[in-house]
Amino acid sequence: MIPARTILRALPVSGRTFMRTYATAASTAPPVQLFGVDGTYASALYTAAAKASTLDATSKALTSLKTLIEKDSDMSGILSNPALSASDKKIVVETLSTSVSVPTVANLLSVLAENNRLGLLSEIIENFGTLMSAHNGEVEATITSATPLDSKLLSRIESAIAKSQFVGAGKKLKVSNKVNPDILGGLIVEVGDRTVDLSVSSKISRLNTLINEAV
């Protein structure tokens, strides 16, 4: 096999420029495809941060913003208020920007304010986290239960998932426990884009379907 360096030296200047541009574009592209308006913003932010070599800094800044929003009960309502005036939006952006010192995040806040999309900030932060997990070779797994799982049971489930076909070789598993009383009991396991529904509510729903079909 001919070394890549030899091929690059043999290329004319225009060819080398194209190869470098292609490599740069590939390295700054989001590692997974996201959907929806919030996914589009998150993907654009990822590309901007990758080009500026500030992915980790951007991620940390977004985590700080998430904590700030969660601690301030009024902030979520302010962000989702579509009636904010231009001056109000400017104040919100300036307030949030003081907690971060990363240009990519400050630019994001400004763009969201201009497009009346500040209400999507929490979803964008979550989607950016998904992109960073993929970038770091992590596989996200969400275990939904009716009540919080104890650490021992959660560890056993994590171990089982790690050994399954859902997690590829060399990947790091990142597990979180989501509580939803509506599932009544059992578990819903989501790994990447795959879902295994073992909830009581799902079983009842299937039973009701069978009963209705039999009548």
Side-chain angles (χ1 to χ4, degrees):
M1 180 181 292
I2 303 175
R5 188 175 300 174
T6 301
I7 295 175
L8 284 174
R9 279 201 293 262
L11 284 172
V13 174
S14 60
R16 294 178 203 171
T17 302
F18 170 78
M19 291 295 289
R20 292 193 188 99
T21 302
Y22 177 81
T24 301
S27 63
T28 59
V32 294
Q33 185 177 6
L34 300 178
F35 301 94
V37 178
D38 50 345
T40 300
Y41 276 108
S43 297
L45 176 61
Y46 179 93
T47 298
K51 287 181 178 178
S53 300
T54 58
L55 279 174
D56 290 337
T58 298
S59 180
K60 290 178 181 178
L62 290 178
T63 299
S64 297
L65 279 180
K66 180 181 179 181
T67 301
L68 175 65
I69 295 171
E70 290 175 346
K71 285 185 176 180
D72 190 336
S73 58
D74 295 327
M75 183 60 71
S76 181
I78 293 173
L79 292 174
S80 59
N81 185 356
L84 285 179
S85 64
S87 58
D88 289 337
K89 292 175 184 175
K90 183 179 180 181
I91 293 173
V92 172
V93 169
E94 289 176 349
T95 301
L96 293 176
S97 295
T98 55
S99 65
V100 299
S101 57
V102 182
T104 49
V105 178
N107 290 339
L108 170 69
L109 293 172
S110 296
V111 171
L112 291 178
E114 289 174 8
N115 296 324
N116 203 26
R117 298 286 190 181
L118 283 171
L120 293 176
L121 183 56
S122 294
E123 288 80 0
I124 293 170
I125 293 174
E126 183 176 347
N127 275 309
F128 190 86
T130 298
L131 293 175
M132 286 301 294
S133 291
H135 169 75
N136 293 324
E138 297 174 343
V139 176
E140 291 191 342
T142 302
I143 315 297
T144 303
S145 55
T147 57
L149 299 175
D150 63 70
S151 58
K152 185 178 293 186
L153 178 56
L154 190 59
S155 179
R156 287 173 57 192
I157 295 173
E158 180 177 355
S159 178
I161 296 174
K163 297 175 183 177
S164 72
Q165 60 181 351
F166 295 148
V167 182
K171 298 289 185 178
K172 294 177 287 185
L173 185 62
K174 183 179 179 182
V175 177
S176 61
N177 181 202
K178 179 180 177 182
V179 177
N180 181 6
D182 291 340
I183 72 171
L184 303 179
L187 299 171
I188 298 177
V189 181
E190 298 171 90
V191 184
D193 59 355
R194 302 180 182 183
T195 301
V196 179
D197 192 343
L198 303 173
S199 64
V200 172
S201 61
S202 176
K203 293 178 181 178
I204 292 175
S205 178
R206 288 196 294 268
L207 179 59
N208 286 334
T209 299
L210 290 173
I211 293 173
N212 291 331
E213 290 176 350
V215 174

